[in-house]
Amino acid sequence: GLGLASMVIVFFCNSYYIMILVWGLFYLVHSLTDTLPWATCGHAWNTEQCAELFHLELCRNGSSNASAGTGPFNLSCADLASKRSPVIEFWENKVLRLSGDLSEPGEMNWQMILCLVTTWVVVYFCIWKGVKSTGKIVYFTALFPYVVLILLLVHGVTLPGALGGIVYYLKPDWSKLAEAQVWIDAGTQIFFSYAIGLGALTALGSYNRFHNNCYRDAYILAVINSSTSFFAGFVVFSVLGFMASEQGVDISKVAESGPGLAFIAYPKAVTLMPLSPLWATLFFFMLLVLGLDSQFVGVEGFITGILDLFPQPGAGSLRRELPAALCCVVCCLIDLSMVTQGGMYVFQLFDNYSASGITLLWQAFWECVVIAWVYGADRFMDDVARMIGYRPLPFMKWCWAVVTPLVCVGIFVFHVVNYKPLTYNKTYVYPWWGDAIGWVLALSSMLCIPCTVLYKLLRCKGSLRERWQLLTTPIWGHHHLEY
């Protein structure tokens, strides 16, 4: 059941995550110009409300008669508040072509379809031959972003206001710890960042030699992952500090999350820099490469799971290439719903329900329960010792048995108690049937576990105790017994 659930989750994740690459590729292509198209008004996608400069700090006295200069014009604060940034208009009117409702899919964007097909073709030809060819590509896709991050940081810290942004990044607001949503977001991000519960790392780990030191690798992965995230924070907030300084507003006003950071806040900051097309090109190329890395892992993990369901020893490489192609085509067809005018609403449904939040917490909880309490934590410690030559720290056993399940349950309860209907951009509230679709996406993976347990118990013979005893007794395969 856990295996089936992880396959469903990673399939949904592969389907919607690639939209980050699609948008990144779209921005990358539009960065290759002398003037960034989201830096100015006057384009076909701009409205009459478009304004390039905002100086709302002049309106702090609250007077409705106060005015703020925008170039040669003087506008009242009320007029200025109704103006829209060209960055937001590029994102909503050019990239998304956003409709007003989930029930209004509208037309498909042919430019986005082209970007979508291109990204899936790149992903396919990077993974179709298996982990050996993908591994060589990852040497570039994993290391190149560090070069770009260092370049962006060196440039970012030299900008005026960068220090204020870094101080804001490092100075915690302890009152936020009382908010359930902070814990939910933090837990979900760690689970998603480490690919916990997705089954992708398990699938890739199956290609390792039996005596590979997976225990050491797990520590190295955690340290590098979190260190990179921490380092990237300096890159982002040095630029956001500069952006806040230029606009004369508090940094909390320019700090975005989710797609807003990558496609609104950072592009806006880049327009304020000298040589803005160069920095935009570097940033979006880095985003594209990073996204490809994550997509490789997800698609590779899913294909490995499919092939393991139908083992055919001695089959040629063609056996792998066809399922890989079918997987990419099916995911691409699902993604067509996300390149319509209502596509952002569909994307957010997948993002909030199908492969993050409660689904990952549910998956991780049962993984720990099965390993620590059904299979046995001590038995699992012995298995790891046979592989790496020594037993892991006893603390690990307590993590599997007690700490991680309790943390998962705690965040899960937080999530359920504080559940609110899904909203987009803090203004549009999804209809009830939209949330219902989201719950169908979530339950399609969550129900795999209890349904499989029930199915297996009903298929067995004997008393309930005998069935449970039989089903929870490990079966050693030839690939285990030879060691």
Side-chain angles (χ1 to χ4, degrees):
L2 282 164
L4 290 174
S6 65
M7 293 283 284
V8 173
I9 292 173
V10 81
F11 173 74
F12 285 142
C13 187
N14 293 340
S15 298
Y16 83 87
Y17 183 84
I18 200 159
M19 290 307 299
I20 303 293
L21 282 72
V22 173
W23 296 328
L25 178 60
F26 190 84
Y27 271 84
L28 176 62
V29 172
H30 283 80
S31 299
L32 305 175
T33 57
D34 293 332
T35 304
L36 294 175
W38 58 84
T40 58
C41 298
H43 301 281
W45 58 83
N46 291 128
T47 65
E48 294 179 357
Q49 300 302 315
C50 183
E52 295 174 22
L53 298 175
F54 287 84
H55 293 287
L56 291 173
E57 75 278 6
L58 300 177
C59 303
R60 284 176 184 161
N61 57 11
S63 170
S64 61
N65 296 321
S67 63
T70 56
F73 303 101
N74 286 321
L75 299 171
S76 70
C77 290
D79 291 336
L80 193 61
S82 67
K83 294 293 181 182
R84 288 164 57 83
S85 165
V87 180
I88 294 176
E89 292 212 334
F90 181 83
W91 170 241
E92 292 188 353
N93 300 345
K94 176 66 175 175
V95 180
L96 300 180
R97 300 187 182 182
L98 198 62
S99 67
D101 195 273
L102 178 63
S103 61
E104 301 172 12
E107 300 174 354
M108 287 188 181
N109 186 339
W110 69 267
Q111 292 176 314
M112 299 303 291
I113 293 175
L114 195 60
C115 291
L116 174 67
V117 172
T118 302
T119 49
W120 270 119
V121 168
V122 171
V123 168
Y124 175 72
F125 283 108
C126 287
I127 58 96
W128 70 325
K129 290 295 185 183
V131 290
K132 288 188 177 179
S133 60
T134 309
K136 295 171 184 175
I137 296 167
V138 167
Y139 277 115
F140 171 75
T141 58
L143 296 176
F144 176 76
Y146 285 99
V147 176
V148 178
L149 280 174
I150 292 169
L151 288 173
L152 290 172
L153 179 64
V154 169
H155 178 66
V157 295
T158 62
L159 298 170
L163 182 60
I166 292 173
V167 169
Y168 179 84
Y169 173 52
L170 295 176
K171 187 179 178 182
D173 181 359
W174 298 108
S175 64
K176 293 287 185 182
L177 294 179
E179 297 180 14
Q181 192 60 42
V182 170
W183 291 94
I184 293 167
D185 290 343
T188 301
Q189 175 57 30
I190 287 295
F191 276 59
F192 197 83
S193 181
Y194 288 5
I196 296 171
L198 295 177
L201 289 181
T202 313
L204 293 177
S206 68
Y207 290 101
N208 283 331
R209 298 183 186 88
F210 184 83
H211 294 297
N212 178 68
N213 195 332
C214 55
Y215 181 60
R216 178 200 61 203
D217 291 349
Y219 276 107
I220 293 173
L221 170 70
V223 170
I224 292 177
N225 194 313
S226 293
S227 300
T228 302
S229 298
F230 185 65
F231 175 70
F234 288 95
V235 179
V236 170
F237 278 88
S238 62
V239 174
L240 293 182
F242 162 69
M243 183 177 170
S245 174
E246 286 288 300
Q247 293 185 323
V249 297
D250 187 78
I251 190 171
S252 61
K253 303 292 184 184
V254 298
E256 296 269 356
S257 65
L261 175 64
F263 301 111
I264 297 177
Y266 211 94
K268 173 62 180 174
V270 167
T271 63
L272 304 173
M273 299 181 189
L275 299 174
S276 55
L278 171 64
W279 298 110
T281 302
L282 276 175
F283 175 76
F284 287 112
F285 186 63
M286 178 193 71
L287 189 71
L288 192 62
V289 169
L290 279 172
L292 281 171
D293 251 359
S294 299
Q295 195 71 16
F296 290 164
V297 172
V299 177
E300 183 67 51
F302 182 75
I303 293 169
T304 300
I306 293 293
L307 295 180
D308 286 350
L309 283 174
F310 308 101
Q312 296 178 18
S317 62
L318 187 64
R319 186 175 72 91
R320 177 192 172 78
E321 292 162 11
L322 287 177
L326 185 62
C327 170
C328 292
V329 169
V330 171
C331 288
C332 188
L333 291 175
I334 293 173
D335 292 333
L336 290 176
S337 66
M338 301 180 201
V339 294
T340 60
Q341 289 175 290
M344 187 60 181
Y345 303 123
V346 179
F347 171 84
Q348 200 173 28
L349 270 181
F350 273 79
D351 186 38
N352 278 269
Y353 287 101
S354 68
S356 59
I358 55 173
T359 53
L360 294 184
L361 292 166
W362 175 266
Q363 178 80 355
F365 170 79
W366 286 112
E367 282 184 4
C368 288
V369 167
V370 168
I371 289 294
W373 297 102
V374 180
Y375 183 75
D378 286 316
R379 181 185 281 163
F380 193 68
M381 293 276 275
D382 291 339
D383 293 344
V384 175
R386 288 189 185 96
M387 292 169 64
I388 65 176
Y390 59 92
R391 287 173 69 85
L393 292 172
F395 171 70
M396 298 299 294
K397 182 171 72 173
W398 290 106
C399 280
W400 300 330
V402 179
V403 178
T404 306
L406 285 179
V407 169
C408 290
V409 168
I411 301 176
F412 187 89
V413 171
F414 261 146
H415 206 298
V416 173
V417 170
N418 292 275
Y419 173 76
K420 295 175 183 176
L422 187 59
T423 59
Y424 172 71
N425 206 19
K426 299 179 181 178
T427 54
Y428 171 72
V429 180
Y430 278 66
W432 68 267
W433 56 269
D435 278 312
I437 292 172
W439 279 107
V440 168
L441 292 174
L443 291 173
S444 62
S445 61
M446 295 170 72
L447 290 178
C448 285
I449 300 168
C451 287
T452 304
V453 171
L454 193 62
Y455 173 75
K456 293 284 187 181
L457 284 171
L458 292 174
R459 285 284 309 272
C460 270
K461 295 180 180 180
S463 66
L464 184 63
R465 183 185 182 88
E466 290 171 340
R467 296 181 189 190
W468 181 261
Q469 189 74 32
L470 176 66
L471 290 170
T472 56
T473 300
I475 301 172
W476 293 91
H478 295 298
H479 57 299
H480 294 122
L481 293 173
E482 63 181 292
Y483 293 100

